[in-house]
């Protein structure tokens, strides 16, 4: 039997939610268009984490290219997490945020790469980056 | 400038392996992950042999969650790649918790189709005449994990017997095992420390059980499921999870964040624990004073535990009364509840019903009765 080793159709998220259990995402782009000083960032939540982001596994946000305040710096993951904490988390932010980073046990992927290879909090975001957060704190 | 894979040195590294710090590309990650599970399987038995025998019928305890889904996938792949000659089955337990199990059982049914494995779903309702929803109605949320744990253990055994299976494998990963080691320390259950780290365990009244993911980090299982786009379902039991275990889990994750090898290090500590006879003896003595009725019940053989709990439930008693019933223990009183039995073919191997570690533990155990 010469069966392929990839057994599963690539239609699922691989993130532990089903399309039935999650309403479709409403991207920021559906509401307004991106301005020149914003980045378009795509976010996806796995391992049940979408439950604290308005039950939506996928979000598209427009993030300012530079951080607000006096000593502005280019938007990085540290800023993204702070932004998400203020604007996106719908409940129980302690399940997501820990200090200026994410809670231990939450994996972060930047364009499909482990964030530990990309500088973690210091990674400087680019337009159309895809950031995936997966909780491993739930049961398996 | 992307980092290159430290194994193939050509593709872009996408994963930093927590156990080794190695930076690997997607394909090399799949390869090393599967290879390590293969090594656990082929060298995991006490004495260094394979945990499986050729021709063995093996049930994968499938919850629809990430661990058991990745296990079903990897075992299917390895069984084919290395020709283990195993007959694989999926075995799911339906605890009867509305809004918790429904979605994950759908996921298991999907897995059944994807992997072409026969699936058996056994419900608490079918086996005990009780769903967890009904149990919680009766005993409240506080003690329900005890019921569920005891019931699940026996349900897996009965389901496996119904399938005519010789061996159950579960998706317990390195993080789970390290957590259990910590829990056993926190509870003073030193006797279980070493046993809980064994890849394979078997006691007299149960089917052989193995944990092929003993050395697989949760992070890698999640990454594997993500990169392979496997179908699984993340959910949390709606009844209060064990709070104590929750603390152990968070503590472990905090340790891992500082030093990723902490998880295997804790497992290693568990493996290395050996109790001398004097310690064993004093622990047994201690236990007589300290053990709560609920835990005393857990020292009984698996079938007796489930029966005692059921009996308490069925006398329509409240929580306090259930405790008293458990405390009475011992003799089976009038109207003792029994659980439907499935025919089970027992393989008699070499007269040794138990695996190496179990044997060693039993040898030093002091009998109290």
């Amino acid at each position: 039997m010469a069966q392929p080793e990839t057994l599963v159709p690539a239609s699922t998220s691989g993130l532990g939610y089903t399309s039935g259990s999650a309403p479709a995402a409403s991207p920021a782009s559906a509401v307004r268009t991106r301005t020149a000083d914003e980045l378009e960032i795509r976010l996806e939540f796995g391992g049940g984490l979408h439950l604290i982001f308005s039950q939506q596994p996928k979000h598209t946000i427009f993030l300012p290219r530079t951080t607000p305040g006096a000593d502005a710096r280019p938007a990085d993951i540290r800023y993204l997490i702070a932004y998400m904490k203020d604007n996106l988390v719908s409940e129980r932010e302690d399940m997501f945020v820990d200090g200026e980073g994410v809670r231990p046990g939450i994996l972060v992927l930047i364009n499909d790469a482990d964030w530990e290879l990309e500088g973690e909090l210091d990674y400087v975001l680019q337009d159309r980056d895809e950031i995936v957060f997966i909780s491993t704190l739930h049961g398996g | 400038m992307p980092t290159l894979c430290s194994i193939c040195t050509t593709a872009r590294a996408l994963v930093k392996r927590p156990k080794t710090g190695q930076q690997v590309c997607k394909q090399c990650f799949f390869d090393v992950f599967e290879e390590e599970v293969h090594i656990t399987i082929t060298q995991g038995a006490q004495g260094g042999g394979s945990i499986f025998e050729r021709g063995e019928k093996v049930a994968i305890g499938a919850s629809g969650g990430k661990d058991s889904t990745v296990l079903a996938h990897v075992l299917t792949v390895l069984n084919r790649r290395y020709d283990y000659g195993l007959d694989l089955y999926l075995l799911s337990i339906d605890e009867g918790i509305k809004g918790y199990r429904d979605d994950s059982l759908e996921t298991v049914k999907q897995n059944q189709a994807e992997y072409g494995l026969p699936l058996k779903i056994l419900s608490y309702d079918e086996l005990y005449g009780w769903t967890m929803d009904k149990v919680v109605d009766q005993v409240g949320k506080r003690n329900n994990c005890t019921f569920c744990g005891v019931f699940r253990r026996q349900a897996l055994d009965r389901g496996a017997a119904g399938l005519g299976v010789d061996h159950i494998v579960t998706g317990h990963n390195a993080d789970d095992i390290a957590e259990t080691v910590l829990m056993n320390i926190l509870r003073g259950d030193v006797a279980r420390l070493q046993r809980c780290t064994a890849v394979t365990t078997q006691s007299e009244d149960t089917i052989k059980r193995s944990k092929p993911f003993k050395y697989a980090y949760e992070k890698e299982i999640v990454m594997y499921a993500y990169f392979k786009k496997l179908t699984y379902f993340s959910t949390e039991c709606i009844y209060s999870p064990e709070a104590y275990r929750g603390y152990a889990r968070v503590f472990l994750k905090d340790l891992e964040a500082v030093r990723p090898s902490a998880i295997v290090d804790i497992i290693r500590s568990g493996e290395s624990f050996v109790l001398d006879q004097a310690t064993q003896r004093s622990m047994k003595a201690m236990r007589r004073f300290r053990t709560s009725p609920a835990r005393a019940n857990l020292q009984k053989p698996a079938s007796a535990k489930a029966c005692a709990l059921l009996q308490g439930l069925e006398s329509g008693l409240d929580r306090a009364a259930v405790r008293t019933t458990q405390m009475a223990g011992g003799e089976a009183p009038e109207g003792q509840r029994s659980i439907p039995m499935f025919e089970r073919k027992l393989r008699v191997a070499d007269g040794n019903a138990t695996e190496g570690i179990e044997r060693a533990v039993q040898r030093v155990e002091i009998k109290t009765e």
Side-chain angles (χ1 to χ4, degrees), chain A residues 4-5 8 12-16 47-48 103-105 107 109 112-114 116-118 132 134 136-140, chain B residues 12-16 23 63 65 67 81 218-219 222 225-227 229-234 236 249-250 253-254:
Chain A
E5 283 213 342
V8 175
T12 59
S13 63
L15 284 171
R103 201 177 154 172
L107 305 181
L109 295 166
D112 262 2
D114 193 342
E116 292 181 45
L117 300 173
E118 302 288 326
V132 179
I134 315 174
T136 64
L137 293 163
H138 287 253
Chain B
R12 179 182 167 208
L14 290 181
V15 182
K16 185 170 178 193
Q23 310 189 342
S63 67
D67 300 306
R81 184 182 300 160
E218 195 152 53
K219 172 181 172 180
V222 170
Y226 175 69
F227 286 139
K229 301 288 175 215
L230 300 187
T231 313
Y232 72 95
F233 193 77
S234 281
E236 189 77 356
R249 183 159 205 80
V250 170
K253 290 289 168 194
D254 287 346

Side-chain angles (χ1 to χ4, degrees), chain B residues 81 155 207 242 317 329 339 365:
Chain B
R81 184 182 300 160
I207 291 175
E242 293 177 88
L317 304 169
I339 298 161
E365 212 148 37

Side-chain angles (χ1 to χ4, degrees), chain B residues 330-355:
Chain B
E331 311 274 288
E334 283 291 299
Q336 166 75 59
R337 179 64 154 77
S338 69
I339 298 161
M341 198 44 124
F342 294 94
E343 275 301 312
R344 174 175 148 208
K345 287 174 288 167
L346 252 188
R347 278 174 166 243
V348 182
D350 52 355
N352 286 322
T354 47
E355 298 291 300

Side-chain angles (χ1 to χ4, degrees), chain B residues 175-281:
Chain B
D175 298 52
D176 295 329
I177 295 171
E179 187 183 299
T180 305
V181 170
L182 283 180
M183 288 294 289
N184 285 334
I185 292 173
L186 295 174
R187 286 196 292 234
D189 205 344
V190 189
R192 279 173 204 248
L193 268 179
Q194 191 185 45
R195 190 175 33 169
C196 76
T197 63
V199 178
T200 299
T201 53
Q202 181 167 38
S203 53
E204 277 166 40
D205 59 338
T206 58
I207 291 175
K208 185 160 66 158
R209 278 167 195 259
S210 297
K211 302 166 187 155
F213 282 170
K214 177 183 171 185
Y215 295 111
Y217 269 56
E218 195 152 53
K219 172 181 172 180
E220 297 201 316
I221 291 171
V222 170
M223 292 286 217
Y224 190 95
Y226 175 69
F227 286 139
K228 291 267 185 190
K229 301 288 175 215
L230 300 187
T231 313
Y232 72 95
F233 193 77
S234 281
T235 184
E236 189 77 356
C237 181
I238 55 170
Y239 297 129
S240 54
E242 293 177 88
Y244 207 50
R245 185 172 281 275
Y247 286 121
R249 183 159 205 80
V250 170
F251 176 58
L252 193 68
K253 290 289 168 194
D254 287 346
L255 287 180
E256 185 192 8
V258 180
R259 194 178 59 154
S261 72
I263 287 168
V264 279
D265 296 341
I266 291 170
I267 295 178
R268 204 148 290 144
S269 297
E271 288 170 339
S272 316
F273 262 96
V274 180
L275 297 184
D276 61 27
Q277 295 231 355
T279 314
Q280 288 261 334
R281 212 174 296 129

